[in-house]
């Protein structure tokens, strides 16, 4: 395994300061870690599920006990406002505990109807070494989805956290050590992209769980293509909302503004396009823009800030480009950027923006923005809204805002997404499968079904009588 080594500096988008500098693992260190993982997993798979569950519970408790410090550190690394990062720690704990509670049911052998003289069952076997490649936008919430169930299932885990949030991997390791997890069962590696890609193709890795962009997802699949390791992909989204004429307007506005702009829109399931029934379109737009103007853009370490910077200036410039292209094509921007003094070109700080007069010829309605911008279109019917929602290469979530449950079910059946919401958005329920359609990914995390992707079935067919 070859590739660059050296160091990596985490640069805070808040103020450009260096948060931390970490050495990158060289080839020898990576080889040692993978060998250690293989050896540790052979022993770990023999540990009872009850003990794995107990260690995992202690891990979650240890992590949550340090939540305040971890949250502040996370704000410094990736720029989410200090008043909002504690929510990620609480969500982390909720998801971890939910997966622990599901483990016994999910991993219990499946037994068909008995036949005299035979014992038959299907056991869920661990895969071996699971290589988790985490994302920076929700580095704890996303990573826990794979790490905890993988360990519960008897796998060893090697974590490569995104460069912007390297310290998150270290906090995992500290909590696992405090919980008494045997050495080598969980490890992290800070690596160059070249070495990280080489690990995907390493024969000692049995499954790759990747969260990130569609473009990088294609590279992950290509790197794994010469062998038969499993690959799970949680990729991007261009998630739509449809506000029907019977919607609770105030509820829809409040939740969709938050769904579009929380974390500065840097979420794979953020609301990026909204379709509104013509009968309520103007009222919806007026209230939506008014609420958006109430955001306070500024340094995320300031308790008064409600909208922080994007992860870097390049990300902000990309969204600026989408807004400029849309307005050049005839869209109208409803938010005056000058009202947000911190929004300056060439920096990570960008005002929220609401666009009307948009169409699907515009990049802002087709390509993932991953930033604080949303386009709103007027529609005449459910049929038109459904066609527009499905007119996308992505298929992560879609939300329907209506009082008619039957209409939501009917529309939901026809929407090409992994999750359909009614009267909520931008949320993961750990008891439901998190899955994408089309270019939003493959495989599944969370829920009982998520364990199926981190294990393999092994059938036992035993004749017990002649």
């Amino acid at each position: 395994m070859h590739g660059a080594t050296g160091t990596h500096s985490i640069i805070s988008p808040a103020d450009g300061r260096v948060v931390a500098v970490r050495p990158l693992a060289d080839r020898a260190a990576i080889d040692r870690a993978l060998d250690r993982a293989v050896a540790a997993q052979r022993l770990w798979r023999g540990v009872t599920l009850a003990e794995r569950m107990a260690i995992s519970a202690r891990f979650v408790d240890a992590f949550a006990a340090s939540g305040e410090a971890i949250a502040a550190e996370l704000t410094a690394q990736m720029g989410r406002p200090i008043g909002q990062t504690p929510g990620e720690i609480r969500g982390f704990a909720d998801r971890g505990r939910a997966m622990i509670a599901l483990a016994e049911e999910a991993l219990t052998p499946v037994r068909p109807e008995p036949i005299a003289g035979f014992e038959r069952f299907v056991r869920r076997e661990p895969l071996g070494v699971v290589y988790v490649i985490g994302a920076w936008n929700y580095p704890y919430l996303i990573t826990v989805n794979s790490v905890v169930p993988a360990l519960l299932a008897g796998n060893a885990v090697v974590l490569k956290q995104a460069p912007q949030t390297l310290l998150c991997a270290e906090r995992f390791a500290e909590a696992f050590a405090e919980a008494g997890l045997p050495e080598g069962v969980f490890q992290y590696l800070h690596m160059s992209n070249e070495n990280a890609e080489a690990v995907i193709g390493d024969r000692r890795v049995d499954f790759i769980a990747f969260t990130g962009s569609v473009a990088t997802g294609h590279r992950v699949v290509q790197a794994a293509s010469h062998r038969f390791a499993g690959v799970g992909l949680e990729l991007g989204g261009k998630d739509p909302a449809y506000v029907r004429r019977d919607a609770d307007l105030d509820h829809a506005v409040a939740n969709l503004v938050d769904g579009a702009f929380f974390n500065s829109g840097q979420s794979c399931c953020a609301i990026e396009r909204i379709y509104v029934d013509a009968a309520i379109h103007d009222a919806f737009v007026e209230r939506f823009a008014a609420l958006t103007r109430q955001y306070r853009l500024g340094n995320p370490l300031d308790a008064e800030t409600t909208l922080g910077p994007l992860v870097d200036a390049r990300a902000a410039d990309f969204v600026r480009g989408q807004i400029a292209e849309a307005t050049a094509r005839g869209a109208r921007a409803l938010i005056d950027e000058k009202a947000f003094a911190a929004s300056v070109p060439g920096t990570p700080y960008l005002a929220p923006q609401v666009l009307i007069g948009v169409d699907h010829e515009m990049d802002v309605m087709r390509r993932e923005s991953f930033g604080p911008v949303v386009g709103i279109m007027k529609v005449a019917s459910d049929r038109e809204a459904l066609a527009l929602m499905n007119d996308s290469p992505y298929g992560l979530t879609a939300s329907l805002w209506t009082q008619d449950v039957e209409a939501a079910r009917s529309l939901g059946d026809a929407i090409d997404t992994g999750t359909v919401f009614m009267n909520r958005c931008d949320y993961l329920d750990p008891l439901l499968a998190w899955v994408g359609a089309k270019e939003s990914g493959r495989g599944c995390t969370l829920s009982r079904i998520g364990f199926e992707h981190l294990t393999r079935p092994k059938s036992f067919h035993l004749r017990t009588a002649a």
Side-chain angles (χ1 to χ4, degrees):
M1 187 181 302
H2 301 280
T5 58
T7 62
H8 174 75
S9 298
I10 301 173
I11 308 298
S12 176
D15 52 17
R17 69 183 174 91
V18 176
V19 176
V21 180
R22 290 293 185 268
L24 299 178
D26 60 16
R27 173 182 177 180
I30 295 168
D31 280 337
R32 286 194 301 270
L34 293 179
D35 283 343
R36 192 180 304 118
V38 171
Q41 193 273 331
R42 293 193 187 110
L43 299 175
W44 178 244
R45 66 174 292 161
V47 173
T48 65
L49 177 57
E51 180 60 14
R52 288 185 225 146
M53 292 168 66
I55 291 173
S56 297
R58 293 198 297 269
F59 158 72
V60 173
D61 290 344
F63 186 93
S66 300
E68 186 175 343
I70 291 173
E73 180 182 79
L74 179 56
T75 287
Q77 289 181 87
M78 54 75 65
R80 190 182 314 136
I82 192 72
Q84 298 170 4
T85 44
E88 178 160 357
I89 310 307
R90 293 191 295 272
F92 169 97
D94 289 345
R95 289 189 194 178
R97 290 174 181 138
M99 298 311 289
I100 294 165
L102 286 172
E104 189 169 7
E105 174 195 352
L107 298 171
T108 295
V110 178
R111 294 183 179 271
E113 287 294 318
I115 297 178
F118 292 91
E119 182 181 4
R120 299 175 302 153
F121 59 92
V122 181
R123 192 162 66 198
R124 285 287 175 189
E125 293 277 293
L127 298 175
V129 175
V130 173
Y131 177 35
V132 177
I133 306 173
W136 56 264
N137 59 319
Y138 286 98
Y140 293 118
L141 275 180
I142 290 171
T143 305
V144 73
N145 296 350
S146 298
V147 169
V148 168
L151 294 174
L152 288 166
N155 300 292
V157 170
V158 175
L159 171 62
K160 191 271 181 188
Q161 190 53 266
Q164 189 67 36
T165 51
L166 289 185
L167 300 181
C168 298
E170 298 175 15
R171 303 302 159 249
F172 269 83
E174 290 165 0
F176 275 124
E178 187 172 338
L181 184 71
E183 187 176 349
V185 176
F186 173 87
Q187 299 173 83
Y188 67 85
L189 287 168
H190 301 326
M191 291 181 282
S192 67
N193 288 338
E194 184 179 352
N195 275 341
E197 187 169 316
V199 172
I200 295 169
D202 193 285
R203 60 179 176 77
R204 291 165 289 189
V205 170
D206 300 287
F207 186 85
I208 301 99
F210 170 77
T211 303
S213 70
V214 172
T216 306
H218 282 292
R219 291 200 295 271
V220 169
V221 172
Q222 188 173 23
S225 63
H226 70 282
R227 61 195 192 92
F228 297 114
V231 177
L233 303 171
E234 294 186 28
L235 307 177
K238 191 72 184 173
D239 289 10
Y242 171 36
V243 185
R244 299 180 81 235
R245 68 174 59 198
D246 68 332
D248 179 330
L249 202 56
D250 288 338
H251 177 78
V253 167
N255 283 271
L256 286 170
V257 168
D258 183 70
F261 300 124
F262 189 84
N263 204 36
S264 298
Q266 296 171 124
S267 170
C268 56
C269 58
I271 296 298
E272 296 209 357
R273 49 198 177 106
I274 302 175
Y275 307 100
V276 185
D277 188 280
I280 59 169
H281 173 270
D282 292 352
F284 175 88
V285 167
E286 181 181 358
R287 297 185 199 187
F288 191 98
L291 187 56
T292 300
R293 294 185 186 104
Q294 295 180 23
Y295 275 99
R296 298 191 64 169
L297 176 67
N299 191 315
L301 298 171
D302 182 346
E304 300 300 314
T305 293
T306 56
L307 189 71
L310 274 71
V311 68
D312 55 35
R314 184 175 61 177
D317 286 345
F318 173 77
V319 180
R320 286 181 184 280
Q322 284 192 319
I323 295 168
E325 187 257 3
T327 55
R329 285 174 169 263
R332 184 156 67 94
L334 300 183
I335 307 302
D336 181 5
E337 185 179 2
K338 294 177 183 177
F340 296 82
S343 185
V344 177
T347 77
Y349 288 90
L350 177 64
Q353 189 55 266
V354 180
L355 299 171
I356 59 173
V358 292
D359 59 44
H360 278 216
E361 297 299 313
M362 299 175 184
D363 194 64
V364 77
M365 297 296 283
R366 299 288 301 172
R367 187 176 176 190
E368 185 175 33
S369 301
F370 222 65
V373 61
V374 65
I376 303 176
M377 286 182 67
K378 183 186 299 185
V379 295
S381 65
D382 286 354
R383 182 177 179 179
E384 182 183 5
L386 178 62
L388 289 167
M389 283 189 284
N390 281 338
D391 182 29
S392 173
Y394 302 97
L396 191 55
T397 81
S399 66
L400 305 169
W401 302 81
T402 177
Q403 303 302 311
D404 189 336
V405 177
E406 289 306 315
R409 288 197 185 105
S410 177
L411 284 166
D413 284 342
I415 298 173
D416 297 331
T417 58
T419 296
V420 175
F421 293 109
M422 174 179 158
N423 296 332
R424 78 179 315 175
C425 60
D426 191 29
Y427 177 79
L428 276 71
D429 183 334
L431 300 185
L432 296 178
W434 187 247
V435 58
K438 298 186 280 190
E439 289 197 5
S440 287
R442 70 159 70 149
C444 163
T445 59
L446 299 176
S447 79
R448 180 186 60 77
I449 298 169
F451 282 95
E452 297 178 8
H453 295 263
L454 295 166
T455 56
R456 64 177 178 85
K458 184 175 183 178
S459 294
F460 286 76
H461 193 151
L462 311 176
R463 184 190 292 272
T464 58

